[in-house]
Amino acid sequence: MNSRPPIESLDFVTLDVFTDIRFKGNPLAIVHLPKNFPVDQQLKQAIAREFNLSETVFLHEIEEPSSDRKIDIFTKSSELPFAGHPTIGAICHIATQRKPASHSLHFTLHTKAGPIAASYDYGKRSATAGIPHNINIHKSSVHWKHILDAQPPLIHGHEDKGQRVLAAWNRRADGSETSFPIVSIVNGMNFVLIDFPRLDEYLEKLRSDQPAVDPRVTTLDQGWSSDIIAPYYYVVLPDQADGTERIRTRLILPMVEEDPATGSAASALASYLSLQKGEAGATYTYQIEQGVEMGRSSHIGVEVTLDGSGKAVAQVLLSGTAVAVLQGTVAVHTESPSHGPSGE
């Protein structure tokens, strides 16, 4: 007799986030968790590994009439307290599953990092999230030689040109050697912010098959977790005099190779640049494009407001769009989560 437990299934959808064009942006899986469904960390992790995307969201059903929602965010190897593109994707998905009662929807999205004020504009088809933040610019920085160790293609292959490129990058205007800040958006999510002067000889020459920045050269302030330390390369584009600063970025890390869109890194970068300007109470707007070189162009909106001193960040708003791509079910053994998803 077959004693295997009954198979039940979970609905899922995949979205491309920070784009309105399918097969661009950053892919995301969202799995619906019915109320009282017996699912534990082991099963959620197994499902995330099965999808094999950078992140998978588990969306909990709620007791009506509450409009609040709860999500869990998993990578292929662990749970995250917060991540940008899963948050924006979840807001877009929740909003588009409802019949709009007005031109916008407002609700609270609960994450392990805390509650997030979420909104969706049905006219613009765009989600906005008030990002949990505890901005810290660490005392230590990363010397340019360590960046070059991680990306030797910047100068290799064309030695004369490479040396000219290097000379234009490894010193600041005051003659000091270049080093790059380590900035945390929250404890445990840290980014080395590496600015380049141009796209063609710098950002576009980076390769995703190169080693990571050596973690031994990224020293964090005491009490700050090193769960994630990722290099975020960027070029500030020419000013278009419309109040929005435009930036091209890339995030390259061996564990994910290259990420098409990284909302948490974009939020850290925008916060850092705003603090460098430091006008008390000012609000700065950024449009960040990432994923161009890998054929998955993503558009990330960030708005940063400083407090009355101009020395701290009062608010970070992350915004973007998403488009549905796939939908289906994941078959699971509810009485034996160690089996993981069997696919469907």
Side-chain angles (χ1 to χ4, degrees):
M1 178 182 293
N2 188 347
S3 61
R4 293 181 66 188
I7 294 177
E8 295 192 27
S9 61
L10 299 172
D11 293 333
F12 78 86
V13 62
T14 70
L15 310 174
D16 287 334
V17 184
F18 291 121
T19 183
D20 54 7
I21 302 173
R22 287 181 179 86
F23 317 122
K24 301 290 185 180
N26 200 352
L28 174 73
I30 299 179
V31 180
H32 287 253
L33 294 181
K35 294 188 293 288
N36 303 318
F37 190 84
V39 58
D40 60 12
Q41 293 291 101
Q42 186 178 2
L43 178 56
K44 285 187 279 189
Q45 189 64 75
I47 292 171
R49 283 197 302 268
E50 185 76 9
F51 277 112
N52 200 34
L53 298 174
S54 59
E55 282 100 6
T56 296
V57 163
F58 295 88
L59 176 62
H60 295 258
E61 288 192 1
I62 56 167
E63 297 290 344
E64 298 295 345
S66 173
S67 62
D68 288 5
R69 302 303 298 266
K70 176 185 175 184
I71 62 172
D72 305 317
I73 303 170
F74 279 74
T75 70
K76 289 177 281 187
S77 60
S78 63
E79 185 175 11
L80 296 178
F82 162 77
H85 103 273
T87 300
I88 293 298
I91 296 170
C92 289
H93 177 64
I94 291 165
T96 54
Q97 296 306 297
R98 301 184 180 188
K99 183 177 180 180
S102 66
H103 70 280
S104 62
L105 175 68
H106 301 268
F107 62 98
T108 299
L109 190 66
H110 295 274
T111 71
K112 294 292 169 55
I116 291 174
S119 64
Y120 185 82
D121 186 313
Y122 285 97
K124 297 179 180 178
R125 299 181 181 179
S126 178
T128 300
I131 298 303
H133 61 276
N134 182 16
I135 309 297
N136 186 49
I137 302 172
H138 295 267
K139 297 181 180 66
S140 176
S141 57
V142 178
H143 192 272
W144 65 267
K145 290 181 179 178
H146 298 303
I147 305 303
L148 198 59
D149 288 341
Q151 285 292 333
L154 283 170
I155 62 168
H156 286 179
H158 302 282
E159 294 303 328
D160 292 342
K161 183 178 180 181
Q163 292 304 317
R164 177 174 58 81
V165 168
L166 182 61
W169 176 63
N170 66 0
R171 290 191 179 275
R172 298 298 186 189
D174 62 3
S176 61
E177 289 201 347
T178 304
S179 62
F180 301 97
I182 307 171
V183 179
S184 301
I185 182 70
V186 293
N187 198 342
M189 302 192 76
N190 317 287
F191 302 95
V192 184
L193 304 181
I194 303 155
D195 62 301
F196 289 136
R198 294 188 303 280
L199 295 172
D200 54 353
E201 294 181 323
Y202 297 90
L203 199 73
E204 293 173 350
K205 288 188 66 175
L206 300 175
R207 286 176 44 179
S208 60
D209 60 352
Q210 299 302 297
V213 175
D214 190 337
R216 292 173 297 181
V217 304
T218 52
T219 304
L220 305 182
D221 293 348
Q222 186 175 2
W224 288 81
S225 169
S226 59
D227 289 350
I228 295 175
I229 303 178
Y232 200 48
Y233 305 93
Y234 71 97
V235 173
V236 176
L237 301 178
D239 186 6
Q240 296 188 16
D242 61 356
T244 296
E245 190 162 348
R246 288 169 173 79
I247 304 172
R248 275 269 300 276
T249 64
R250 298 181 73 177
L251 187 142
I252 297 172
L253 202 60
M255 60 184 287
V256 296
E257 292 190 352
E258 183 159 4
D259 197 21
T262 318
S264 53
S267 298
L269 173 60
S271 297
Y272 171 76
L273 294 176
S274 299
L275 288 168
Q276 302 313 295
K277 299 170 186 175
E279 182 181 344
T283 296
Y284 301 99
T285 304
Y286 303 86
Q287 187 62 231
I288 296 172
E289 187 175 15
Q290 187 176 332
V292 172
E293 291 76 13
M294 59 187 302
R296 298 198 67 102
S297 178
S298 305
H299 296 272
I300 308 167
V302 188
E303 183 180 283
V304 177
T305 300
L306 301 183
D307 70 2
S309 71
K311 298 179 180 179
V313 172
Q315 179 177 257
V316 180
L317 296 178
L318 181 68
S319 62
T321 56
V323 58
V325 179
L326 301 172
Q327 61 181 0
T329 59
V330 180
V332 294
H333 296 284
T334 59
E335 296 176 21
S336 182
S338 61
H339 288 288
S342 60
E344 181 159 308

